[in-house]
Amino acid sequence: MGTFLLLLIMGAFFAPAQAQYLEEFEDKVTEFTLDNGLHFIVIERHDAPVASFYTHVDVGGANEPVGNTGIAHIFEHMAFKGTHYIGTTNWEEEKKVIAAMDQAYQEWLAEKYSSNPDSSIMEEKWAEFEQLQEESKQYVVNNEFSQIIERNGGSGLNASTGADFTNYFYSLPSNRAELWFNLEADRFKNPTFREFYVEKEVVREERRMRTESSPVGRLVEEFLAVAYTAHPYGRPVVGWDSDITATTIEDARDFYDTYYVPSNITIAIAGDVEPDRMKELAETYFGDLREGEPAPPVTTLEPEQRGERRFTIEGNTQPIMLIGYHGVSESHPDFEALNLLGNVISSGRTSRLYKKLVDEEQLALQVGAFNGFPGSKYETMFLTLAVPNMGVELDTLETAVYTEIDAVKNGALTQEELDRARTNIRASLIRSLNNNTGLARNFASTHATQGDWREVFRRLDRIQQVTLEDLQRVANEYLSKDNRTVGATVRAES
């Protein structure tokens, strides 16, 4: 969509007529909740004979048990391995081998972590585990789940795991909607844990690539561990390597039983569908999904920081600096002001940090600030990432960043900068709602985290209400030295 057309839409719908636009959208949205607590949002868009299906599970890295970091991501991988009748040649025999394999792995773990491990017992149990894992392969029909979707015209099959969520999504021709209900219900009602230990190694390899072999990944992981003392936001979503090793199928089943309950799941369907038919199919396929106990909330609160925290990581890499401040959750009144502040400071070539540090003083190759990491359901971080130019010391760059932040604290921002930031955020929202998948994702996640999909649009009211005085106030309240964590990768001394 062109920029001019985008601005026309924004002017028509998200200025004085925003409430009217929301009313028009409400006419296209149908919601219902099954008796077991599973909530559905159906958005009618009859432009083309397709529909997108989005399953949002209100569980992520922040919900994982101690010792099982990464388990939300591991379970996400399991959802693509099929069901009791897809992806297997003989489920009755396969499940026996899977159970025996997990038992052997647990026994190997028990010996490994005992106070005086016996290497001969470990070797015996590991050999037994490997033999059973090899035996299990004979029952596996690789990629059958995804191939069924592809043969029926499906696209975009994927999933993602974050600190606050796990999402599963893909699109199908609208006349294949019942196929989605059949597949989605079965893979969540009857998880098989097929190739569990194979997928654990895939997750471990992701960790190696995204964290251990990535200077930015290593810096971010260390930063969160230093910035958070108590809250689980300080743990990596991909998991610690030792926790990936220690996680078993039994652990994953307990995790599923705890968090994959209907009241913790929101499903959004956007496209060429009829709401009454969707409700009929929902009751048919998901009505018998076990109700379970409500998922336990995260109750740990991050204690107030008592002073600046600093660390460095040595390595033969480009120096990188990360500066972060503890902020607020998305439900807090100051959240949007901090979002706007990040946009004003660093979004695009006209932003303060870019103009000053990249264009004018040429201190940085790259600089950016943003709010809401690693998640936003709980108290989050306001971050600035900066990469120095060749020959520029990190101390010099850090001082320059603080100079710009101090200017904001002293009231240097202009109304033009605030208006531009509002336009950027509105444009980003419009783009995210410009297709079925974006609609389904936004509505499902917003309902799950804020209780009502309408908050997608009410957010624009909150943005509009933020003033220059608000930006100055939150800069002074949150971007303080005592509330700051600073981390950097530096070249190792030879």
Side-chain angles (χ1 to χ4, degrees):
M1 180 179 292
T3 302
F4 178 70
L5 179 57
L6 187 66
L7 291 173
L8 278 179
I9 290 174
M10 285 162 43
F13 292 134
F14 289 108
Q18 182 181 315
Q20 178 184 345
Y21 182 55
L22 178 55
E23 288 179 11
E24 292 174 0
F25 225 108
E26 285 183 312
D27 291 339
K28 300 175 183 177
V29 174
T30 301
E31 292 183 89
F32 56 87
T33 304
L34 302 184
D35 290 343
N36 57 18
L38 181 58
H39 191 75
F40 281 80
I41 304 170
V42 181
I43 309 122
E44 292 184 76
R45 294 183 85 226
H46 299 293
D47 302 340
V50 295
S52 293
F53 303 85
Y54 209 89
T55 301
H56 179 104
V57 188
D58 196 19
V59 62
N63 306 94
E64 294 168 337
V66 173
N68 287 138
T69 57
I71 196 170
H73 188 196
I74 294 169
F75 188 85
E76 173 216 304
H77 281 232
M78 290 295 94
F80 294 90
K81 290 299 178 178
T83 68
H84 291 181
Y85 64 94
I86 295 173
T88 185
T89 58
N90 187 333
W91 171 243
E92 290 303 315
E93 293 302 315
E94 183 186 13
K95 70 179 181 180
K96 296 175 185 176
V97 178
I98 290 174
M101 178 174 60
D102 195 49
Q103 181 62 38
Y105 191 85
Q106 289 185 46
E107 291 172 359
W108 173 79
L109 275 179
E111 190 62 34
K112 175 182 173 65
Y113 292 125
S114 67
S115 57
N116 187 25
D118 187 319
S119 59
S120 62
I121 294 177
M122 286 180 62
E123 289 175 7
E124 175 189 341
K125 292 303 177 183
W126 187 255
E128 182 182 351
F129 162 75
E130 288 190 313
Q131 185 271 323
L132 288 163
Q133 184 165 238
E134 189 65 29
E135 184 180 340
S136 71
K137 294 179 182 178
Q138 66 180 302
Y139 302 108
V140 176
V141 182
N142 288 315
N143 303 318
E144 187 174 19
F145 184 86
S146 59
Q147 288 169 0
I148 290 172
I149 293 168
E150 291 170 6
R151 286 199 302 268
N152 283 274
S155 62
L157 174 65
N158 213 331
S160 61
T161 304
D164 296 332
F165 63 84
T166 309
N167 290 328
Y168 305 87
F169 48 92
Y170 59 95
S171 300
L172 279 168
S174 49
N175 63 3
R176 293 291 188 272
E178 186 166 5
L179 174 65
W180 177 86
F181 279 93
N182 186 316
L183 295 175
E184 196 78 351
D186 200 37
R187 69 169 168 169
F188 290 124
K189 285 192 291 189
N190 302 300
T192 63
F193 302 98
R194 181 175 293 126
E195 294 189 306
F196 179 84
Y197 290 100
V198 173
E199 289 304 314
K200 278 214 309 178
E201 295 312 308
V202 173
V203 170
R204 199 191 306 274
E205 183 59 28
E206 287 185 35
R207 175 180 169 79
R208 292 192 189 104
M209 292 175 59
R210 298 178 185 177
T211 302
E212 295 165 7
S213 300
S214 165
V216 173
R218 292 197 302 271
L219 178 62
V220 169
E221 182 173 270
E222 189 77 15
F223 176 87
L224 291 175
V226 173
Y228 285 98
T229 301
H231 196 273
Y233 272 173
R235 306 183 314 214
V237 172
V238 74
W240 298 112
D241 186 72
S242 60
D243 284 356
I244 294 171
T245 297
T247 296
T248 67
I249 290 176
E250 184 176 345
D251 295 325
R253 186 174 287 110
D254 289 343
F255 182 79
Y256 160 78
D257 288 340
T258 301
Y259 293 101
Y260 278 72
V261 293
S263 59
N264 210 41
I265 300 173
T266 302
I267 293 175
I269 303 168
D272 185 29
V273 293
E274 297 297 332
D276 289 345
R277 177 60 175 160
M278 295 303 98
K279 185 174 183 180
E280 177 186 333
L281 291 171
E283 289 172 341
T284 299
Y285 287 95
F286 285 97
D288 61 345
L289 182 60
R290 61 182 182 81
E291 185 171 346
E293 295 294 324
V298 173
T299 56
T300 300
L301 298 177
E302 182 65 18
E304 183 177 354
Q305 192 165 321
R306 300 184 181 93
E308 184 185 57
R309 300 170 184 170
R310 304 183 71 91
F311 71 92
T312 57
I313 299 175
E314 292 188 349
N316 188 25
T317 64
Q318 165 73 46
I320 308 167
M321 182 171 59
L322 197 56
I323 303 168
Y325 303 86
H326 286 283
V328 297
S329 71
E330 62 188 353
S331 62
H332 192 282
D334 287 341
F335 185 75
E336 293 302 345
L338 285 165
N339 278 345
L340 281 162
L341 183 61
N343 200 290
V344 167
I345 290 175
S346 73
S347 182
R349 294 177 177 271
T350 59
S351 67
R352 285 185 162 263
L353 286 177
Y354 193 95
K355 283 195 299 183
K356 191 72 172 178
L357 304 186
V358 178
D359 281 347
E360 296 177 13
E361 299 183 2
Q362 297 186 354
L363 296 175
L365 285 171
Q366 177 184 342
V367 64
F370 53 95
N371 184 48
F373 185 81
S376 58
K377 187 176 180 180
Y378 309 103
E379 291 187 359
T380 185
M381 300 290 292
F382 183 98
L383 297 183
T384 299
L385 176 72
V387 180
N389 241 325
M390 185 71 70
V392 175
E393 296 294 330
L394 281 171
D395 289 349
T396 302
L397 182 56
E398 183 180 357
T399 299
V401 170
Y402 297 151
T403 298
E404 292 307 305
I405 290 176
D406 286 342
V408 172
K409 291 180 178 180
N410 292 325
L413 294 182
T414 66
Q415 189 63 42
E416 181 184 0
E417 289 176 297
L418 174 55
D419 291 342
R420 186 187 302 122
R422 285 183 180 137
T423 298
N424 288 340
I425 291 176
R426 287 171 175 168
S428 177
L429 176 62
I430 289 292
R431 292 189 191 100
S432 73
L433 299 177
N434 200 33
N435 57 71
N436 289 338
T437 299
L439 276 170
R441 178 181 64 248
N442 275 282
F443 283 26
S445 62
T446 301
H447 170 86
T449 57
Q450 300 181 55
D452 191 344
W453 61 267
R454 295 165 186 82
E455 293 298 325
V456 170
F457 303 103
R458 291 172 183 155
R459 179 188 175 202
L460 294 171
D461 284 331
R462 294 192 291 272
I463 290 171
Q464 192 63 33
Q465 291 164 7
V466 174
T467 65
L468 286 173
E469 290 74 18
D470 289 326
L471 297 188
Q472 185 177 3
R473 176 181 57 79
V474 297
N476 279 283
E477 183 171 348
Y478 299 104
L479 308 191
S480 65
K481 181 178 179 180
D482 287 348
N483 192 37
R484 186 166 71 204
T485 300
V486 182
T489 59
V490 298
R491 294 192 182 278
E493 296 181 6
S494 56

